[in-house]
Amino acid sequence: MLCVGRLGGFGARAAALPPRWAGQGSFQAGIRARRVSTSWSPVGAAFNVKPQGSRLDLFGERRGLFGVPELSAPEGFHIAQEKALRKTELLVDRACSTPPGPQTVLIFDELSDSLCRVADLADFVKIAHPEPAFREAAEEACRSIGTMVEKLNTNVDLYQSLQKLLTDKKLVDSLDPETRRVAELFMFDFEISGIHLDKEKRKRAVDLNVKILDLSSTFLMGTNFPNKIEKHLLPEHIRHNFTSAGDHIIIDGLHAEAPDDLVREAAYKIFLYPNAGQLKCLEELLSSRDLLAKLVGYSTFSHRALQGTIAKNPETVMQFLEKLSDKLSERTLKDFEMIREMKMKLNPQNSEVMPWDPPYYSGVIRAERYNIEPSLYCPFFSLGACMEGLNILLNRLLGISLYAEQPAKGEVWSEDVRKLAVVHESEGLLGYIYCDFFQRADKPHQDCHFTIRGGRLKEDGDYQLPVVVLMLNLPRSSRSSPTLLTPGMMENLFHEMGHAMHSMLGRTRYQHVTGTRCPTDFAEVPSILMEYFANDYRVVNQFARHYQTGQPLPKNMVSRLCESKKVCAAADMQLQVFYAALDQIYHGKHPLRNSTTDILKETQEKFYGLPYVPNTAWQLRFSHLVGYGAKYYSYLMSRAVASMLWKECFLRDPFNR
């Protein structure tokens, strides 16, 4: 999953031009190659040893988070944000007083960069830092920078300084294509923020945007919130599967892999039981988005959100989803029939397929047909071996090596976070990846990529190095073995590393369009493409070794694993089509023709085929409605593009540079 900065305009872009891989033409010569550090160590070994607790060292100088001096304490967020806001004022004055030309675009980009450097970092810290004081300070910084972004997007003087440039044909013709494109994107952000409106309506647009930021934050928190039920209401023999708290049982997820049908049914019905506050929050979020879209001249939020994407408009998206659904329908029915037969075999009293069944029974079918018990595979996928595998692939394909670097005190938020330097064979250091890979209390259960700082060419000719975080939820190593990954975890690691490489290699002159700051329906292409490499024996054979014996993973085990992925693949994809269609309807024509739950029920029956379960509201757990509102289809569209790329370019030889 890609965590795109959720700010439009001067905030991190979720919609810009498709990034360019590696060096970018004319300005590349101006970037000085960076020397290699002697303190780097091989990446594989670094992930198979226990970390040296740098955070627990109470002596010596503390650096701030990510090396930002102010962030050695939570109060530093206030200092960083005030500094960014002061710099913003100066840059706005400069933009308004500079004669129109390429310099205008550079100032706009610097403005965007100074705000993003606080907002992006805070966006990550507010959900991932183990200390509440840091999370709260980051939340406050996000809010304050977000409000400033919305004000800038409706600042008439600033808008006019850009308009003077873009309405002067002679000046526009003199701009290089990249500068022109970035100028147009900034202009586009003004337009979708309602710059053309009168003063009162512009203020209304700012207020709505701020309200949407707050509602998004509240909704996101609610999607992970556990539900509880009185103990006596659950059959005694299944209670031990859940956490107890006094007279209550806490249900914090769907327990989709639990072998007992009743455990999965109970988890599904209780975890998805509607919460009135969360329901109200979702309704307000959807109607506020609709009001904002209409205020700035779009018929629906979806029309506004899809400007500048591959799909371009919601009509194309629905066409894509309906076409895909038609092609899948026959195969999906076969998958459900196969699941029903397996359920009948294991549980003859109740063989109707329910929404809590597919993940578990498709796993049982896979295991029975192909014998792919994860415990057979895990010993071959130690985290160190997988990191070494990525290193080999990236080196052969892109000329890139990953090196572990010891972070300074205070630079990381948990002692098991690893810092990687990304080094290119001819251009030197490209940027840094912080790997927050291990489970810990209060850490979100999502695998994500966060941009902390975007790359850009600075005025002095140096390149501002990109910094990103990859967040996974892997088990920790034990006394007897390193961290061992299941095949699914290994594939997720490759996926997230695809995002990180996109951030490192999408080296543009302007921060506004660097790396993953591109259309959402393109942003998942590099990461999904990496999944194809993770499932190819020629690649896996380079690194999958038993952590004790060094024996390579047998070819027939890889083949079985790849074949097993086709089991129930249609039903899995059909579920994604249903989610994507639901997202489009929620962001389509308002007022909605029914409650969000009734729409869920209708859409589930039309696009998925398994019955809706009364008194459940899955949409209240649909966290992607925040970062991917009206754009959830992006995963499917990106998969279509990635599959095309794989077949065209890498199927014959996955190491073809």
Side-chain angles (χ1 to χ4, degrees):
M1 172 190 172
L2 174 70
C3 278
V4 253
R6 285 181 276 280
L7 309 168
F10 293 94
R13 291 196 60 78
L17 80 170
R20 276 64 49 118
W21 295 92
Q24 249 302 294
S26 59
F27 83 92
Q28 199 61 33
I31 297 177
R32 296 193 274 277
R34 290 167 186 272
R35 283 196 292 281
V36 174
S37 163
T38 50
S39 62
W40 289 335
S41 55
V43 73
F47 282 88
N48 275 355
V49 295
K50 286 217 182 297
Q52 307 304 307
S54 58
R55 201 174 63 136
L56 303 179
D57 180 354
L58 301 175
F59 305 100
E61 193 192 347
R62 271 179 76 86
R63 299 244 318 256
L65 283 173
F66 298 104
V68 176
E70 295 90 343
L71 299 186
S72 55
E75 304 75 55
F77 266 108
H78 186 70
I79 299 166
Q81 125 201 345
E82 289 306 308
K83 211 162 139 183
L85 295 175
R86 281 198 303 277
K87 188 174 178 185
T88 298
E89 280 178 30
L90 293 173
L91 287 166
V92 168
D93 289 346
R94 245 178 85 192
C96 295
S97 59
T98 302
Q103 193 59 24
T104 310
V105 184
L106 278 171
I107 298 168
F108 267 70
D109 191 61
E110 198 178 336
L111 189 51
S112 169
D113 182 60
S114 59
L115 292 169
C116 280
R117 284 173 68 162
V118 179
D120 288 349
L121 198 155
D123 227 11
F124 168 71
V125 172
K126 76 177 183 187
I127 70 157
H129 203 288
E131 294 172 33
F134 263 104
R135 293 200 299 268
E136 285 158 22
E139 178 77 65
E140 183 47 47
C142 278
R143 197 181 145 71
S144 134
I145 299 281
T147 306
M148 171 54 86
V149 166
E150 299 313 338
K151 283 182 180 162
L152 290 178
N153 282 340
T154 51
N155 179 321
V156 178
D157 294 337
L158 197 57
Y159 162 70
Q160 283 170 348
S161 70
L162 187 64
Q163 195 187 31
K164 278 177 199 155
L165 169 66
L166 287 172
T167 50
D168 185 327
K169 192 181 178 313
K170 202 172 164 190
L171 273 177
V172 170
D173 289 344
S174 72
L175 300 177
D176 63 83
E178 191 176 358
T179 304
R180 181 174 174 172
R181 176 75 176 131
V182 171
E184 286 165 353
L185 286 167
F186 277 119
M187 180 54 85
F188 169 68
D189 286 320
F190 278 124
E191 286 164 357
I192 64 168
S193 299
I195 195 73
H196 51 288
L197 304 172
D198 62 42
K199 193 176 177 182
E200 206 167 300
K201 284 182 177 164
R202 282 201 307 277
K203 186 183 180 313
R204 173 117 177 84
V206 171
D207 294 344
L208 270 171
N209 266 309
V210 172
K211 184 182 180 184
I212 288 165
L213 278 174
D214 287 344
L215 287 166
S216 296
S217 200
T218 308
F219 181 76
L220 206 50
M221 300 280 272
T223 57
N224 288 312
F225 209 73
N227 272 346
K228 62 182 180 181
I229 186 171
E230 289 174 29
K231 256 185 193 161
H232 68 88
L233 294 171
L234 270 190
E236 199 170 337
H237 71 282
I238 68 166
R239 289 178 200 166
H240 69 275
N241 290 280
F242 307 108
T243 311
S244 284
D247 296 335
H248 287 86
I249 295 280
I250 308 288
I251 314 279
D252 63 355
L254 291 173
H255 292 254
E257 306 299 330
D260 187 330
D261 285 359
L262 193 57
V263 170
R264 292 195 314 279
E265 179 178 350
Y268 189 93
K269 289 179 171 174
I270 298 163
F271 189 63
L272 298 183
Y273 188 79
N275 170 300
Q278 182 76 341
L279 191 59
K280 187 170 183 291
C281 179
L282 175 62
E283 286 165 354
E284 274 194 54
L285 175 62
L286 296 177
S287 69
S288 301
R289 282 174 170 174
D290 180 68
L291 284 172
L292 176 66
K294 289 195 169 93
L295 180 66
V296 300
Y298 292 90
S299 55
T300 69
F301 179 78
S302 194
H303 281 91
R304 177 183 184 262
L306 296 183
Q307 289 285 312
T309 58
I310 296 176
K312 294 189 170 60
N313 57 56
E315 292 76 20
T316 308
V317 173
M318 284 313 287
Q319 223 177 329
F320 170 69
L321 295 174
E322 278 165 0
K323 195 170 181 179
L324 183 52
S325 191
D326 288 347
K327 286 184 183 291
L328 285 171
S329 62
E330 213 171 295
R331 294 186 217 184
T332 302
L333 289 173
K334 280 184 188 158
D335 285 355
F336 287 150
E337 184 50 36
M338 197 160 60
I339 290 168
R340 198 187 64 75
E341 284 166 13
M342 180 54 81
K343 189 173 181 178
M344 180 90 170
K345 188 169 139 184
L346 299 181
N347 182 4
Q349 305 83 30
N350 180 10
S351 65
E352 186 190 358
V353 179
M354 296 303 284
W356 52 81
D357 288 329
Y360 172 69
Y361 284 108
S362 57
V364 172
I365 296 165
R366 276 184 206 116
E368 189 179 84
R369 281 197 190 171
Y370 297 103
N371 185 21
I372 52 145
E373 173 53 43
S375 61
L376 297 174
Y377 286 84
C378 291
F380 293 93
F381 293 136
S382 72
L383 177 56
C386 294
M387 292 305 294
E388 198 42 59
L390 278 164
N391 201 28
I392 293 166
L393 175 67
L394 298 173
N395 197 280
R396 288 180 62 179
L397 211 52
L398 301 160
I400 275 176
S401 301
L402 304 173
Y403 294 99
E405 185 175 297
Q406 182 67 30
K409 283 188 291 293
E411 189 179 342
V412 294
W413 49 100
S414 175
E415 60 184 30
D416 53 18
V417 173
R418 305 289 205 284
K419 181 183 181 184
L420 297 183
V422 180
V423 183
H424 187 266
E425 58 193 18
S426 60
E427 291 183 30
L429 182 60
L430 294 183
Y432 289 103
I433 302 170
Y434 288 83
C435 301
D436 185 355
F437 280 177
F438 303 102
Q439 293 163 348
R440 63 172 175 268
D442 291 340
K443 183 178 172 181
H445 289 293
Q446 280 176 326
D447 293 347
C448 307
H449 161 281
F450 293 85
T451 297
I452 301 298
R453 183 176 76 195
R456 70 182 179 111
L457 186 63
K458 296 193 291 191
E459 284 189 47
D460 63 4
D462 261 354
Y463 197 75
Q464 174 173 298
L465 296 180
V467 174
V468 304
V469 173
L470 294 190
M471 192 161 78
L472 304 175
N473 275 278
L474 303 177
R476 292 171 181 277
S477 55
S478 66
R479 278 199 179 141
S480 57
S481 74
T483 291
L484 301 176
L485 277 59
T486 63
M489 290 171 183
M490 184 271 283
E491 188 179 280
N492 279 3
L493 170 65
F494 270 65
H495 176 102
E496 298 304 333
M497 192 54 86
H499 284 312
M501 284 302 113
H502 191 173
S503 290
M504 297 295 130
L505 294 164
R507 281 161 79 85
T508 50
R509 186 183 326 178
Y510 299 103
Q511 174 273 157
H512 200 55
V513 291
T514 191
T516 57
R517 303 208 206 283
C518 66
T520 312
D521 50 9
F522 183 80
E524 294 294 330
V525 171
S527 53
I528 293 172
L529 184 60
M530 282 295 278
E531 293 174 23
Y532 285 89
F533 289 98
N535 287 302
D536 189 287
Y537 178 70
R538 295 163 295 182
V539 175
V540 174
N541 186 41
Q542 301 286 321
F543 69 89
R545 299 283 180 276
H546 196 287
Y547 76 98
Q548 286 167 318
T549 65
Q551 173 205 350
L553 181 64
K555 186 170 186 177
N556 67 342
M557 282 180 73
V558 179
S559 310
R560 288 206 309 264
L561 190 61
C562 293
E563 280 306 303
S564 75
K565 293 198 171 163
K566 296 174 188 169
V567 172
C568 299
D572 288 348
M573 194 173 279
Q574 191 78 57
L575 182 65
Q576 295 301 317
V577 172
F578 153 48
Y579 293 163
L582 184 68
D583 172 45
Q584 285 303 310
I585 296 165
Y586 281 169
H587 292 102
K589 201 165 183 295
H590 275 244
L592 295 172
R593 60 175 184 275
N594 260 323
S595 71
T596 57
T597 305
D598 285 340
I599 290 169
L600 172 88
K601 180 174 185 261
E602 290 163 24
T603 313
Q604 183 167 330
E605 280 158 13
K606 180 181 173 186
F607 282 100
Y608 190 40
L610 292 187
Y612 163 78
V613 179
N615 295 316
T616 63
W618 179 83
Q619 76 276 20
L620 304 183
R621 301 287 183 185
F622 193 5
S623 57
H624 282 78
L625 288 174
V626 172
Y628 280 66
K631 294 180 182 180
Y632 190 80
Y633 76 92
S634 297
Y635 287 103
L636 289 165
M637 198 166 271
S638 288
R639 189 164 289 284
V641 176
S643 128
M644 201 160 63
L645 280 174
W646 173 259
K647 285 174 190 157
E648 286 284 312
C649 307
F650 301 108
L651 185 59
R652 281 189 296 281
D653 171 13
F655 299 107
N656 185 333
R657 213 182 249 206

